[in-house]
Amino acid sequence: MARMSAFQRLVTKYQRDVDFLIIYIEEAHPSDGWVTTDSPYSIPQHRSLEDRVSAAQVLQQGAPSCSLVLDTMANSSSSAYGAYFERLYVVQNGTIMYQGGRGPDGYQVSELRTWLERYDAQLRGGQPRRV
């Protein structure tokens, strides 16, 4: 939950200049699979799109105030972006400008914060560039 609150602070601070989006992918620690004791949720593995929708509704309750969409049941987004378990990206005009490490260990909100701070400074002085 600490990660989510750190991410929420970024959303709150930069939402006027940046569109934030969460793509809910397959459940990393389903209650009927690889269970973890530190998960605040008990969500079974998604067996249908309806299951994924129900799980996403639970996530949305504690998620930042940004858009939430669902990956396909074939996990197309997760595969395309190597997002399993979680990953942070900045995509601008179809170009990946920032790619964070794979979670959970590579998921560093502080790296994204640094990128956004630099981007914010560049907004006031010229074109954004890959940071």
Side-chain angles (χ1 to χ4, degrees):
M1 279 309 201
R3 287 182 183 170
M4 193 60 82
S5 62
F7 184 71
Q8 175 61 54
R9 286 190 295 273
L10 289 181
V11 170
T12 301
K13 183 173 182 177
Y14 293 103
Q15 64 188 348
R16 66 177 162 63
D17 295 320
V18 177
D19 295 322
F20 288 88
L21 173 71
I22 295 174
I23 301 174
Y24 184 55
I25 61 174
E26 64 186 299
E27 185 60 36
H29 299 287
S31 57
D32 56 349
W34 185 27
V35 180
T36 180
T37 57
D38 62 351
S39 176
Y41 307 107
S42 177
I43 298 173
Q45 187 173 17
H46 312 141
R47 303 203 188 294
S48 67
L49 188 57
E50 291 77 21
D51 289 348
R52 191 163 283 180
V53 168
S54 295
Q57 289 170 336
V58 170
L59 175 68
Q60 186 72 53
Q61 294 171 8
S65 56
C66 61
S67 298
L68 175 84
V69 297
L70 308 178
D71 199 354
T72 65
M73 289 306 294
N75 300 308
S76 303
S77 295
S78 180
S79 296
Y81 287 93
Y84 194 75
F85 301 105
E86 55 192 347
R87 200 164 199 180
L88 297 167
Y89 278 90
V90 173
V91 179
Q92 185 176 47
N93 298 324
T95 301
I96 295 173
M97 303 294 282
Y98 167 82
Q99 176 181 314
R102 284 193 174 102
D105 297 330
Y107 182 95
Q108 301 294 324
V109 175
S110 59
E111 286 181 7
L112 178 59
R113 181 184 324 103
T114 298
W115 191 94
L116 288 168
E117 288 168 352
R118 290 178 183 163
Y119 175 75
D120 191 50
Q122 290 170 7
L123 277 178
R124 282 130 186 67
Q127 280 295 94
R129 62 175 175 75
R130 217 169 263 176
V131 181

